[in-house]
Amino acid sequence: MTYLQILFYVTAAGGGVVLGLIYFGGLWITINKVSDVRRPYLLLTASFLLRTALVLAGFYLLLLYNWIYLVLAMITFIVTRHLVIRRKGKSPDQLIYG
């Protein structure tokens, strides 16, 4: 394994973190703003479409290079999700059971 390959793996993992921050950070911002707007359904819909389009485009670009980069990005995307939940809110189990 060359240094260039390691650099690409680290970059792909960092891309997953960035995509996770965009998606889940954007979701957190949207949820905090939903009570302040006149038409919350428009905000929720637009936010979902924009966040999803950005993340799918990022994953697609990584897939164009190599499927391993996509896998690394998806793993760090999920790890970022858990870190954002831990830092900004309750876990899904706490939301359901109290």
Side-chain angles (χ1 to χ4, degrees):
M1 183 178 298
T2 66
Y3 290 114
L4 190 58
Q5 286 176 321
I6 294 172
L7 178 66
F8 287 151
Y9 292 151
V10 170
T11 303
V17 170
V18 169
L19 291 174
L21 289 174
I22 288 170
Y23 190 86
F24 298 111
L27 177 62
W28 182 76
I29 291 169
T30 302
I31 295 302
N32 285 331
K33 298 287 182 186
V34 77
S35 62
D36 299 337
V37 296
R38 250 171 61 195
R39 296 185 183 131
Y41 58 90
L42 288 177
L43 175 65
L44 290 170
T45 303
S47 172
F48 171 74
L49 291 175
L50 180 65
R51 289 182 290 116
T52 303
L54 288 172
V55 169
L56 287 177
F59 283 151
Y60 180 72
L61 289 174
L62 288 168
L63 181 62
L64 288 177
Y65 290 105
N66 196 340
W67 65 271
I68 295 173
Y69 301 152
L70 175 65
V71 171
L72 284 171
M74 288 181 142
I75 290 170
T76 56
F77 181 83
I78 293 169
V79 169
T80 303
R81 173 190 177 268
H82 290 291
L83 293 175
V84 169
I85 288 173
R86 175 171 279 174
R87 179 150 173 109
K88 295 293 183 185
K90 294 183 176 183
S91 71
D93 294 336
Q94 291 174 334
L95 294 175
I96 294 172
Y97 300 114

